[in-house]
Amino acid sequence: MVKWKLVFTGKAQKDARKIKELGLKSKAEDLLEILRENPFQNPPPFEKLIGDLSGSYSRRLTIHHRLGYQVLEGNESGQNSQDVDPL
């Protein structure tokens, strides 16, 4: 089984503080572990985003907060990798 690598954007790293302040750290960690195992696992359900965020996905942390991410297969350096990039 392939484990996916999580790569965080600068914005995601800043948002991590907000997640902790809102008391959602445990829920976010659970979702990140699911993404590490299989970013397309259902349940919990995920949504394909449209418009400017086309090609991205999201999962609910709460009714008001979502975890957005992209699935990147391969990279520009030609190495074989599978990355999940939380937005």
Side-chain angles (χ1 to χ4, degrees), residues 2-16:
V2 173
K3 280 228 180 196
W4 294 72
K5 180 175 81 173
L6 300 180
V7 179
F8 297 90
T9 63
K11 182 170 178 359
Q13 292 172 354
K14 289 179 185 176
D15 288 346

Side-chain angles (χ1 to χ4, degrees), residues 4 6 9-10 13-16 22 33 36-38 46-47 66 74 79 81 85:
W4 294 72
L6 300 180
T9 63
Q13 292 172 354
K14 289 179 185 176
D15 288 346
L22 292 168
E33 186 56 36
R36 205 174 270 119
E37 294 293 327
N38 178 1
F46 63 90
E47 300 174 44
R66 297 187 293 174
Q79 298 173 346
S81 69
D85 186 11

Side-chain angles (χ1 to χ4, degrees), residues 6-81:
L6 300 180
V7 179
F8 297 90
T9 63
K11 182 170 178 359
Q13 292 172 354
K14 289 179 185 176
D15 288 346
R17 283 179 284 200
K18 293 177 189 173
I19 288 171
K20 186 176 179 182
E21 290 171 5
L22 292 168
L24 299 173
K25 182 179 177 183
S26 177
K27 177 77 171 177
E29 287 174 343
D30 291 345
L31 284 178
L32 291 173
E33 186 56 36
I34 288 169
L35 296 180
R36 205 174 270 119
E37 294 293 327
N38 178 1
F40 301 108
Q41 175 182 318
N42 193 6
F46 63 90
E47 300 174 44
K48 284 180 125 179
L49 302 179
I50 57 174
D52 291 346
L53 296 174
S54 182
S56 299
Y57 304 88
S58 74
R59 293 180 189 254
R60 292 264 173 210
L61 290 168
T62 69
I63 194 165
H64 299 290
H65 300 92
R66 297 187 293 174
L67 175 71
Y69 63 97
Q70 293 177 322
V71 177
L72 310 170
E73 296 191 54
N75 61 30
E76 283 128 24
S77 67
Q79 298 173 346
N80 288 330
S81 69

